[in-house]
Amino acid sequence: MDARPTLLVIAHGSRDPRHAATVSALCARVRSLRPGLRVEVGYLDFNAPRVPRVLERLSAEGVREVVALPLLLTRAFHAKSDIPSVLREATARLPLLTVRQADVLGPSSLLTDALERRLAQAGLRPGDRRSTGVVLASAGSSDPEAIAVIAEIAREWRHTAGWCAVRPAFASASLPRTADAVRELRAEGVGRVAVAPYVIAPGFLPDRIAAGARDARADVLAPVLGAAPELARLLLRRYDRSVADRARGDLAALIA
């Protein structure tokens, strides 16, 4: 049996079938980048298999160590409360299985690289940067930490990439909405406005972002991040960090 911990990607789930299809495509890309690494998917809601069922199956098959990686871009409720609770309840019934929760994906320069890729696919060229304002449109959260992170990503992205402006927007829970951010940039005299969805998979909230972009007549609407190669590399980066942290902790315990 492979000595490496199994990677369990934890996705939220959605009634929209495009969500699970995108998660599957992303995990397939991860497997192609790291042949031999076992990569499983578990969902919190709507889709199967649910996280507890995956962990039960892995334990029954003799797996003893799992890195549970939240497929989340910000550290909000699901990462802080929901996922830890699900993992605690599941592992309490599986004494032979050790599960370590990895960090969420964002922020990361790989994510802004993926956003740049999607904007280029939507038609923007390098020479458009100085005249283009970008709306960084995320799903939204009631968690102030998550909202602050999105705002900081917008500021840093503008500074490093040279866009005319980068403004955060949210599909739920927080303001401004995508359409309002587009209109604000127009009112400030920005000649071209692009909307970059800061979401991984299609679904209800990404559709709301797209509707807001259309309603406000944004010039460019990029696709969601999806199974971008940068995203697949980021999943492996978070996995490797979790494995390394566990190894350092074991070494410290031995020294002590």
Side-chain angles (χ1 to χ4, degrees), residues 247-256:
R248 282 193 291 269
D250 291 345
L251 179 60
L254 286 173
I255 294 173

mmCIF file of all heavy atoms in Angstrom, residues 247-256:
data_model
loop_
_atom_site.group_PDB
_atom_site.id
_atom_site.type_symbol
_atom_site.label_atom_id
_atom_site.label_comp_id
_atom_site.label_asym_id
_atom_site.label_seq_id
_atom_site.Cartn_x
_atom_site.Cartn_y
_atom_site.Cartn_z
ATOM 1 N N ALA A 247 4.930 15.754 9.546
ATOM 2 C CA ALA A 247 6.247 15.162 9.754
ATOM 3 C C ALA A 247 7.061 15.962 10.780
ATOM 4 O O ALA A 247 7.736 15.397 11.636
ATOM 5 C CB ALA A 247 6.986 15.070 8.428
ATOM 6 N N ARG A 248 6.978 17.302 10.668
ATOM 7 C CA ARG A 248 7.711 18.134 11.639
ATOM 8 C C ARG A 248 7.152 17.940 13.041
ATOM 9 O O ARG A 248 7.900 17.907 14.033
ATOM 10 C CB ARG A 248 7.623 19.593 11.234
ATOM 11 C CG ARG A 248 8.565 19.970 10.094
ATOM 12 C CD ARG A 248 8.666 21.471 9.944
ATOM 13 N NE ARG A 248 7.421 22.034 9.457
ATOM 14 C CZ ARG A 248 7.128 22.208 8.165
ATOM 15 N NH1 ARG A 248 7.996 21.842 7.248
ATOM 16 N NH2 ARG A 248 5.984 22.741 7.819
ATOM 17 N N GLY A 249 5.847 17.791 13.166
ATOM 18 C CA GLY A 249 5.241 17.577 14.475
ATOM 19 C C GLY A 249 5.667 16.244 15.073
ATOM 20 O O GLY A 249 5.958 16.158 16.263
ATOM 21 N N ASP A 250 5.729 15.207 14.227
ATOM 22 C CA ASP A 250 6.197 13.898 14.719
ATOM 23 C C ASP A 250 7.650 13.952 15.175
ATOM 24 O O ASP A 250 8.016 13.362 16.200
ATOM 25 C CB ASP A 250 6.029 12.842 13.618
ATOM 26 C CG ASP A 250 4.576 12.529 13.324
ATOM 27 O OD1 ASP A 250 3.719 12.901 14.138
ATOM 28 O OD2 ASP A 250 4.305 11.919 12.267
ATOM 29 N N LEU A 251 8.467 14.670 14.423
ATOM 30 C CA LEU A 251 9.879 14.796 14.786
ATOM 31 C C LEU A 251 10.037 15.552 16.116
ATOM 32 O O LEU A 251 10.833 15.158 16.974
ATOM 33 C CB LEU A 251 10.642 15.509 13.682
ATOM 34 C CG LEU A 251 12.128 15.745 13.922
ATOM 35 C CD1 LEU A 251 12.845 14.413 14.121
ATOM 36 C CD2 LEU A 251 12.754 16.519 12.768
ATOM 37 N N ALA A 252 9.248 16.631 16.262
ATOM 38 C CA ALA A 252 9.331 17.400 17.501
ATOM 39 C C ALA A 252 8.927 16.543 18.695
ATOM 40 O O ALA A 252 9.505 16.633 19.784
ATOM 41 C CB ALA A 252 8.435 18.636 17.396
ATOM 42 N N ALA A 253 7.904 15.700 18.495
ATOM 43 C CA ALA A 253 7.461 14.829 19.584
ATOM 44 C C ALA A 253 8.548 13.818 19.964
ATOM 45 O O ALA A 253 8.758 13.525 21.142
ATOM 46 C CB ALA A 253 6.177 14.105 19.172
ATOM 47 N N LEU A 254 9.270 13.307 18.957
ATOM 48 C CA LEU A 254 10.343 12.363 19.226
ATOM 49 C C LEU A 254 11.484 13.034 19.994
ATOM 50 O O LEU A 254 12.049 12.464 20.926
ATOM 51 C CB LEU A 254 10.868 11.781 17.914
ATOM 52 C CG LEU A 254 9.962 10.749 17.224
ATOM 53 C CD1 LEU A 254 10.552 10.395 15.858
ATOM 54 C CD2 LEU A 254 9.855 9.492 18.087
ATOM 55 N N ILE A 255 11.811 14.259 19.586
ATOM 56 C CA ILE A 255 12.900 15.009 20.251
ATOM 57 C C ILE A 255 12.532 15.291 21.688
ATOM 58 O O ILE A 255 13.343 15.180 22.617
ATOM 59 C CB ILE A 255 13.219 16.282 19.485
ATOM 60 C CG1 ILE A 255 13.800 15.918 18.100
ATOM 61 C CG2 ILE A 255 14.190 17.167 20.249
ATOM 62 C CD1 ILE A 255 13.987 17.112 17.191
ATOM 63 N N ALA A 256 11.263 15.686 21.893
ATOM 64 C CA ALA A 256 10.801 16.002 23.249
ATOM 65 C C ALA A 256 10.819 14.771 24.143
ATOM 66 O O ALA A 256 11.056 14.842 25.331
ATOM 67 C CB ALA A 256 9.400 16.593 23.193
#
